[in-house]
């Protein structure tokens, strides 16, 4: 019996010592360094994962253009991470997306991606401070 991508990710996170949960929407959720992280395996079962840190920065109405500029610059500078304003333009979310080949590469990429997603807020705030200082 083969496991689905979701089951494989869930079991790998448990084996790594984390305590993942399945939320009410059926998504994998976990706490990492006092942050709630979501993991979305591809629906096509093609070994692709999107790790998300949702709504980590609230957007002040008068700062929308600066936030978009910060997202754009960080997206150019850090390839594996995608920063974007949510549909309502009130918050910023970041994702770290990757493919894996097997259990070993899944564990390696999960660990590296968690390390990356742990610092996206800091990098974003630093970029915002630079942009606002330049105004």
């Amino acid at each position: 019996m083969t496991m689905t991508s979701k089951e494989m990710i869930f079991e790998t996170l448990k084996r790594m010592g984390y305590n993942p949960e399945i939320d009410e929407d059926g998504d994998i959720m976990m706490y990492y360094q006092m942050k709630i992280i979501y993991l979305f395996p591809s629906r096509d079962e093609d070994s692709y994962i999107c790790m998300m840190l949702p709504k980590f920065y609230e957007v002040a109405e008068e700062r929308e253009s600066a936030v978009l500029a910060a997202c754009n610059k960080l997206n150019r500078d850090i390839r594996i991470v995608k920063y974007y304003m949510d549909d309502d333009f009130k918050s910023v979310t970041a994702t770290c997306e990757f493919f894996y080949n097997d259990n070993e590469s899944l564990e390696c990429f999960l660990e590296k991606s968690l390390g990356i997603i742990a610092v996206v807020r800091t990098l974003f705030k630093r970029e915002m401070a630079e942009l606002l200082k330049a105004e």
Side-chain angles (χ1 to χ4, degrees), residues 5-45:
S5 293
K6 183 187 287 188
E7 292 167 337
M8 189 173 166
I9 295 163
F10 191 86
E11 291 303 316
T12 300
L13 288 168
K14 284 175 60 175
R15 191 175 57 252
M16 293 169 68
Y18 299 109
N19 190 21
E21 302 170 18
I22 303 295
D23 71 6
E24 62 275 353
D25 295 330
D27 302 318
I28 301 171
M29 180 193 87
M30 64 180 280
Y31 293 93
Y32 184 76
Q33 296 185 357
M34 298 176 53
K35 298 169 183 71
I36 297 175
I37 308 293
Y38 290 91
L39 294 101
F40 306 101
S42 172
R43 297 198 194 294
D44 299 330
E45 293 291 320

Side-chain angles (χ1 to χ4, degrees), residues 48-119:
Y48 176 80
I49 298 175
C50 175
M51 182 181 292
M52 176 188 288
L53 177 63
K55 301 180 185 275
F56 67 86
Y57 185 88
E58 296 299 316
V59 179
E61 205 170 302
E62 67 277 0
R63 297 285 186 223
E64 290 172 344
S65 61
V67 169
L68 285 171
C71 289
N72 187 40
K73 181 168 185 327
L74 288 165
N75 286 337
R76 285 191 322 263
D77 293 347
I78 308 169
R79 291 185 193 187
I80 195 168
V81 177
K82 295 177 184 167
Y83 290 86
Y84 56 92
M85 280 187 14
D86 294 335
D87 291 340
D88 60 6
F89 296 100
K90 294 183 180 181
S91 58
V92 176
T93 291
T95 60
C96 185
E97 303 174 16
F98 61 91
F99 285 95
Y100 62 93
N101 297 324
D102 52 23
N103 281 336
E104 187 178 324
S105 68
L106 174 60
E107 186 170 332
C108 177
F109 285 123
L110 282 171
E111 197 65 51
K112 288 183 184 300
S113 296
L114 284 167
I116 292 166
I117 210 86
V119 298

